[in-house]
């Protein structure tokens, strides 16, 4: 398992593209098949855009994971933005305060296996999401 | 990166060559809507074969292109959505409801030609 640990600062729409490209590369190195690489890249794209829309700047980090005989990847998105007042509401389908599609967080959550949001109003938001490699059907 | 737009007869063909930023996608939307008028185009094909991810912004922009082009009298077909991209789109809950899609450029052209013929037959 590659132990490389990369991070991408998010400050403009160009960084969204770099984040999802780097994320996809790492997903490939971790052994994810192309379908899951795409799923991970799409999830990174959504949370990166979320940072840009609400916090203006932040950072996305990712690294490979090993848990017993399971392998996967973790993506952490962190910002010092305004925070999310009601996390469970923000995770509901169709919810958006930005006039967007409301797919950002709930969409990313559906794409990943584990999804955790820690947010404090006025302090920022950290989203941790994980995807595990599916076994048993080569 | 700017997306090249080719004019072929009554159609415009935009083939996306690489990953696009949000600004690139918005620029493509403006350019296509403007050119539909300038060239009096009847059809628009957006080839997304090279896109390895479509997120909510990309899908919303493609939907906007199709709706705006229709308001300007042109039919839009999105071609070349890759299988894994389609898979991720469905999981994200993204759809292109009401918008024509085709497997590849050839099928997209066939679709527009059929549409054009129907229009002539009705007239």
């Amino acid at each position: 398992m590659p132990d490389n640990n990369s991070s991408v600062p998010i400050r403009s729409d160009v960084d969204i593209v770099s984040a999802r490209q780097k994320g996809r590369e790492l997903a490939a190195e971790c052994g994810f098949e192309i379908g899951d690489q795409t799923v991970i890249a799409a999830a990174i794209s959504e949370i990166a855009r979320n940072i840009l829309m609400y916090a203006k700047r932040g950072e996305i980090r990712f690294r490979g994971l090993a848990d017993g005989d399971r392998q996967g990847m973790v993506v952490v998105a962190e910002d010092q933005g305004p925070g999310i007042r009601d996390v469970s509401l923000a995770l509901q389908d169709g919810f958006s305060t930005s006039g967007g599609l409301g797919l950002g967080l709930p969409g990313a959550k559906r794409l990943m296996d584990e999804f955790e949001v820690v947010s404090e109003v006025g302090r920022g938001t950290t989203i941790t999401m994980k995807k595990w490699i599916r076994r048993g059907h080569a | 990166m700017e997306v090249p737009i080719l004019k072929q007869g009554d159609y415009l063909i935009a083939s996306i060559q690489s990953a696009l930023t949000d600004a690139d996608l918005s620029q493509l939307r403006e350019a296509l809507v403007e050119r539909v008028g300038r060239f009096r185009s009847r059809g628009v094909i957006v080839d997304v074969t090279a896109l390895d991810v479509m997120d909510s912004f990309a899908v919303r922009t493609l939907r906007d292109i199709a709706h705006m082009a229709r308001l300007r009298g042109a039919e839009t077909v999105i071609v070349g959505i890759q299988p894994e991209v389609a898979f991720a789109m469905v999981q994200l809950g993204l759809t292109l409801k009401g918008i024509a899609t085709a497997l590849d450029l050839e099928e997209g052209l066939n679709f527009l030609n059929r549409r054009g013929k129907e229009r002539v037959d009705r007239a």
Side-chain angles (χ1 to χ4, degrees), chain A residues 68-90:
Chain A
D69 57 354
R70 284 203 301 177
Q71 265 139 38
M73 181 171 158
V74 59
V75 179
V76 179
E78 200 175 346
D79 68 61
Q80 276 81 50
I84 301 170
R85 203 166 290 277
D86 186 340
V87 170
S88 60
L89 187 63

Side-chain angles (χ1 to χ4, degrees), chain A residues 9-32:
Chain A
I10 304 294
R11 283 169 310 222
S12 78
D13 63 347
V14 180
D15 300 326
I16 300 179
V17 176
S18 331
R20 71 172 180 239
Q21 282 173 343
K22 285 215 175 118
R24 177 191 280 276
E25 278 165 30
L26 179 63
E29 282 170 37
C30 288
F32 283 99

Side-chain angles (χ1 to χ4, degrees), chain B residues 63-123:
Chain B
R63 210 153 39 195
D64 288 351
I65 287 172
H67 290 153
M68 289 178 186
R70 186 170 296 151
L71 290 169
R72 307 266 284 149
E75 202 59 41
T76 299
V77 198
I78 310 295
V79 306
I81 297 177
Q82 297 302 298
E84 60 280 0
V85 173
F87 178 79
M89 279 174 66
V90 169
Q91 285 207 314
L92 259 175
L94 296 169
T95 62
L96 283 168
K97 241 178 246 162
I99 291 160
T101 54
L103 189 63
D104 54 21
L105 190 54
E106 191 182 346
E107 293 294 329
L109 283 166
N110 286 341
F111 171 85
L112 288 178
N113 288 334
R114 278 199 306 274
R115 272 297 169 93
K117 195 175 170 300
E118 282 166 21
R119 199 157 22 198
V120 171
D121 288 348
R122 268 203 309 273

Side-chain angles (χ1 to χ4, degrees), chain B:
Chain B
M1 180 195 273
E2 203 163 315
V3 177
I5 300 173
L6 302 174
K7 175 184 176 297
Q8 175 145 1
D10 283 343
Y11 308 146
L12 295 175
I13 302 173
S15 20
I16 296 171
Q17 311 281 326
S18 65
L20 297 182
T21 64
D22 296 358
D24 297 332
L25 279 160
S26 304
Q27 193 271 337
L28 173 65
R29 182 188 58 209
E30 316 305 300
L32 279 174
V33 173
E34 184 268 326
R35 267 170 236 202
V36 162
R38 197 194 322 162
F39 297 121
R40 312 188 79 77
S41 305
R42 291 306 187 89
V44 173
I45 296 180
V46 183
D47 187 347
V48 299
T49 307
L51 285 188
D52 65 352
V53 176
M54 279 222 256
D55 67 0
S56 54
F57 189 86
V59 169
R60 182 172 48 183
T61 308
L62 289 176
R63 210 153 39 195
D64 288 351
I65 287 172
H67 290 153
M68 289 178 186
R70 186 170 296 151
L71 290 169
R72 307 266 284 149
E75 202 59 41
T76 299
V77 198
I78 310 295
V79 306
I81 297 177
Q82 297 302 298
E84 60 280 0
V85 173
F87 178 79
M89 279 174 66
V90 169
Q91 285 207 314
L92 259 175
L94 296 169
T95 62
L96 283 168
K97 241 178 246 162
I99 291 160
T101 54
L103 189 63
D104 54 21
L105 190 54
E106 191 182 346
E107 293 294 329
L109 283 166
N110 286 341
F111 171 85
L112 288 178
N113 288 334
R114 278 199 306 274
R115 272 297 169 93
K117 195 175 170 300
E118 282 166 21
R119 199 157 22 198
V120 171
D121 288 348
R122 268 203 309 273

Side-chain angles (χ1 to χ4, degrees), chain A residues 12-132:
Chain A
S12 78
D13 63 347
V14 180
D15 300 326
I16 300 179
V17 176
S18 331
R20 71 172 180 239
Q21 282 173 343
K22 285 215 175 118
R24 177 191 280 276
E25 278 165 30
L26 179 63
E29 282 170 37
C30 288
F32 283 99
E33 47 170 313
I34 186 159
D36 279 342
Q37 291 170 28
T38 306
V39 158
I40 291 168
I44 291 173
S45 208
E46 297 298 333
I47 58 164
R49 180 166 295 99
N50 233 64
I51 290 178
L52 203 57
M53 267 192 315
Y54 295 102
K56 309 294 176 222
R57 56 202 303 149
E59 185 184 63
I60 295 194
R61 296 187 296 274
F62 15 72
R63 67 186 159 81
L65 278 180
D67 174 18
D69 57 354
R70 284 203 301 177
Q71 265 139 38
M73 181 171 158
V74 59
V75 179
V76 179
E78 200 175 346
D79 68 61
Q80 276 81 50
I84 301 170
R85 203 166 290 277
D86 186 340
V87 170
S88 60
L89 187 63
L91 285 172
Q92 267 173 33
D93 270 329
F95 180 78
S96 171
T97 57
S98 69
L101 284 172
L103 285 168
L105 291 189
K109 183 171 186 238
R110 267 203 303 276
L111 290 173
M112 302 296 281
D113 295 326
E114 294 174 38
F115 195 90
E116 188 196 38
V117 182
V118 177
S119 189
E120 204 182 322
V121 171
R123 301 294 289 271
T125 302
T126 302
I127 295 172
T128 305
M129 52 188 200
K130 293 178 187 167
K131 187 93 183 161
W132 298 101

